[in-house]
Amino acid sequence: MTDHPRIPLAGVIGSPVAHSKSPRLHGYWLKKYGIAGHYIPLDVAQKDLPEVIRALPKAGFVGANVTIPHKESVLALADVVTDRAALIGAANTLIFRPDGRIHADNTDGYGFTANLTLNAPSWQPQTGPAAVIGAGGAARAVIASLLEVGVPEIRLTNRTKARAEALRTEFGARVVVYDWVQAANMLEDAATVVNTTALGMVGKPEFRIPLDALSPRAVVTDLVYAPLRTQLLDTAEAMGCTVVDGLGMLLHQAVPGFERWFGVRPEVDQALRDAVLGA
Ligand code: NAP
């Protein structure tokens, strides 16, 4: 223990982590709210993760975000795992408590819901099925949140069907699995459409699922945010759908962590978006 106040530190633990937008995001808030803290990228190899996590609180860290490839393995290192992190099977936010205990949470689902609620005020997820494309880590958080807000049915497809079937087994009968080659059929009457795959991202193949069956009443969102406007969003908007980009999810998932670490609930606004995009 030190006998003087310490500068609070936080960071994002991943590998690689240089591409992460989190340092810019939290750095913007620290400056905006005049907090004498720092947030840095921490590139940590899998084998060093337990040692690093145990050492961070001793160096003045009040918490950390966790990204690929550590989101799942970090659960075993935490003393307290929230219900939603346990349900999702991964954590993205750690809080180092003053009593030395490590608390693991997952705020991706919160970010997903907040982004849609705020940017598509007409969104009524209970009024129709949701179509979810992809069954990776992000899909788990999306499915958990959609079930929580009362979506009647989740139509799920994934290139590797076994991963989608595993999610149906875990999340229950409201999840219905579609073959990847028949993904276009699951868009009919969907009130919510979510791309949780990496398709459409810079450097990845394009999203090629035909969108003809989309209803103009659908709210369509893409978790990919580089580029900000994906082809999926452009096509859906041209068909009359309400579209929401994935950057908002990234910004909103960061709010609960910042509040717990630094004591201020930060605001998500256009200036933050511009700062994170480097505008
Ligand atoms: P992940 O666990 O590695 O899952 C990747 C998903 O993409 C799987 O469903 C995978 O299908 C699919 N996929 C990858 N390449 C494909 C291809 N060529 N054809 C068809 N499907 C393909 O990754 P994740 O953590 O879920 O992240 C997925 C995406 O969401 C990434 O673009 C990530 O940046 C984004 N994301 C955004 C936010 C945000 O805040 N906006 C948060 C989390 C993630 P298979 O199972 O068949 O491999």
Side-chain angles (χ1 to χ4, degrees), residues 134-138 158-160 163 196-199 201 223 225 246 249-250:
N158 193 49
R159 175 181 61 176
T160 310
R163 286 182 94 184
T196 76
T197 72
L199 292 173
M201 191 169 137
L223 265 51
Y225 54 81
M249 174 173 167
L250 179 80

Side-chain angles (χ1 to χ4, degrees), residues 3-268:
D3 56 1
H4 54 270
R6 280 171 134 179
I7 292 175
L9 305 176
V12 51
I13 304 170
S15 191
V17 81
H19 66 283
S20 172
K21 295 197 184 295
S22 294
R24 197 185 278 233
L25 163 53
H26 288 277
Y28 173 87
W29 281 333
L30 286 168
K31 196 166 167 211
K32 172 173 175 176
Y33 297 108
I35 296 167
H38 297 281
Y39 184 105
I40 56 170
L42 297 157
D43 194 331
V44 179
Q46 191 76 49
K47 68 174 177 39
D48 297 326
L49 190 65
E51 196 184 338
V52 170
I53 290 207
R54 274 193 292 274
L56 286 175
K58 298 176 193 163
F61 278 76
V62 290
N65 286 123
V66 184
T67 188
I68 292 171
H70 303 314
K71 281 177 138 180
E72 290 85 17
S73 50
V74 82
L75 285 184
L77 304 171
D79 301 298
V80 182
V81 175
T82 62
D83 288 348
R84 54 191 176 173
L87 181 68
I88 293 165
N92 70 342
T93 305
L94 299 179
I95 293 140
F96 303 141
R97 293 177 168 176
D99 65 3
R101 299 211 300 167
I102 297 173
H103 176 111
D105 195 6
N106 193 312
T107 64
D108 277 337
Y110 164 79
F112 172 76
T113 310
N115 187 34
L116 285 186
T117 308
L118 292 167
N119 293 309
S122 63
W123 185 46
Q124 290 187 301
Q126 312 83 349
T127 58
V132 175
I133 298 117
R140 302 177 69 92
V142 166
I143 290 170
S145 323
L146 289 171
L147 292 174
E148 204 174 298
V149 298
V151 164
E153 176 184 286
I154 295 179
R155 299 170 179 172
L156 178 64
T157 193
N158 193 49
R159 175 181 61 176
T160 310
K161 193 176 179 186
R163 286 182 94 184
E165 283 170 340
L167 292 189
R168 182 189 51 197
T169 305
E170 254 181 79
F171 286 97
R174 267 197 283 165
V175 177
V176 180
V177 175
Y178 280 62
D179 283 335
W180 183 243
V181 287
Q182 282 166 0
N185 298 342
M186 71 180 199
L187 303 178
E188 202 175 319
D189 300 326
T192 314
V193 177
V194 190
N195 174 36
T196 76
T197 72
L199 292 173
M201 191 169 137
V202 175
K204 299 278 181 189
E206 267 308 332
F207 180 96
R208 293 200 191 283
I209 295 173
L211 300 176
D212 313 70
L214 260 187
S215 154
R217 289 183 303 280
V219 171
V220 180
T221 188
D222 201 329
L223 265 51
V224 169
Y225 54 81
L228 202 51
R229 295 292 302 200
T230 59
Q231 208 172 310
L232 165 64
L233 296 184
D234 277 346
T235 309
E237 190 170 59
M239 294 174 73
C241 301
T242 302
V243 301
V244 179
D245 69 53
L247 182 62
M249 174 173 167
L250 179 80
L251 305 183
H252 285 285
Q253 63 77 30
V255 169
F258 188 92
E259 183 178 24
R260 291 291 297 268
W261 305 327
F262 300 115
V264 174
R265 189 160 184 91
E267 205 183 344
V268 173

